[in-house]
Amino acid sequence: MGLPEIDPAVVGERLAALRRRIREVGVDPDTTTILAVTKGFGPDAVQAALAAGLVDVGENYAQELLSKVESAAAVPPRWHMIGALQRNKVRKLAPHVSVWQTVDRLAVGREIARWAPGATVFVQVNATGEAAKAGCPPDQVPELVEQLHALGLDVRGLMTIGPTEVGADPRPGFEATAALADRLGLAERSMGMSGDLEVGLSCGATMVRVGTALFGPRRQGVTAEPPAGV
């Protein structure tokens, strides 16, 4: 069974609907970065996002990102790595990734600084306190941000994921992350996905990570790496 086929015209319509959702929250869509998440879709999803006018594309899995880079257009997207980051994958990803959104420990930061000096990074915050979830505990974020700055990295903002439990309220975690970003003087907050982007935006998100709202349902079991990030 192949990957879902992506119709660029449908993606364009869904993007227009997504911008209406953002506007209904009282936020200007032009000031919000819509990150198109292509996890579980083929290279045609990247092309459809670019055709719709999106610039930023996110991938959860290193191998998927690298395979899509090979089939990218002459003008590639601005790639964001938004999945669990293994240090041994950084070297191969470094020539292609513009923004590393899931830095949650110093060892990963050191590896990025080694292969991509001055790179733009976000610190991933485990704002829900779930033991199985990636992310830096909120009380350790200030120290990590300082250490990453010392490595010469451009710490642009914070990223967080809502609670894993279905129906749980993401607002407390989003509000705490936004307040922490304010305290640290960080401009960007990557919070909210297809199902909870309104909450993220109302809490101060400057970026939302959107996959199914743009490309439709994913086919299950298309990747082997452990999921994280969206």
Side-chain angles (χ1 to χ4, degrees), residues 11 15 65 70 81 85 162 166 186 199:
V11 172
L15 177 58
L65 191 152
E70 292 177 359
M81 184 62 189
L85 192 56
V166 176
L186 301 175
V199 181

Side-chain angles (χ1 to χ4, degrees), residues 29-67:
D30 292 335
T31 65
T32 302
T33 300
I34 297 173
L35 180 63
V37 179
T38 56
K39 177 185 76 173
F41 298 102
D44 56 339
V46 180
Q47 304 307 324
L50 294 172
L54 294 174
V55 174
D56 296 271
V57 175
E59 259 303 333
N60 289 65
Y61 307 129
Q63 197 55 47
E64 261 195 86
L65 191 152
L66 292 171
S67 69

Side-chain angles (χ1 to χ4, degrees), residues 49-205:
L50 294 172
L54 294 174
V55 174
D56 296 271
V57 175
E59 259 303 333
N60 289 65
Y61 307 129
Q63 197 55 47
E64 261 195 86
L65 191 152
L66 292 171
S67 69
K68 287 168 185 171
V69 164
E70 292 177 359
S71 58
V75 180
R78 184 161 52 221
W79 287 105
H80 294 237
M81 184 62 189
I82 59 171
L85 192 56
Q86 297 173 318
R87 284 180 291 167
N88 63 356
K89 301 290 180 67
V90 170
R91 181 178 181 179
K92 289 184 178 180
L93 290 169
H96 311 292
V97 172
S98 297
V99 183
W100 307 79
Q101 286 208 28
T102 51
V103 180
D104 60 0
R105 58 197 187 281
L106 182 58
V108 170
R110 285 196 182 110
E111 200 68 10
I112 294 171
R114 178 185 180 190
W115 296 108
T120 298
V121 302
F122 287 27
V123 169
Q124 182 175 354
V125 183
N126 184 347
T128 62
E130 296 168 76
K133 182 179 286 185
C136 183
D139 62 342
Q140 296 177 23
V141 168
E143 181 181 10
L144 180 56
V145 168
E146 184 176 345
Q147 292 170 328
L148 296 173
H149 277 308
L151 291 171
L153 295 171
D154 176 15
V155 185
R156 195 71 58 85
L158 303 181
M159 175 269 214
T160 195
I161 304 169
T164 303
E165 182 183 351
V166 176
D169 185 5
R171 185 172 295 277
F174 289 168
E175 288 178 341
T177 299
L180 186 53
D182 285 343
R183 181 156 64 90
L184 296 173
L186 301 175
E188 301 287 351
R189 305 88 180 274
S190 176
M191 309 187 302
M193 299 186 285
S194 294
D196 60 7
L197 63 87
E198 285 88 355
V199 181
L201 290 164
S202 69
C203 293

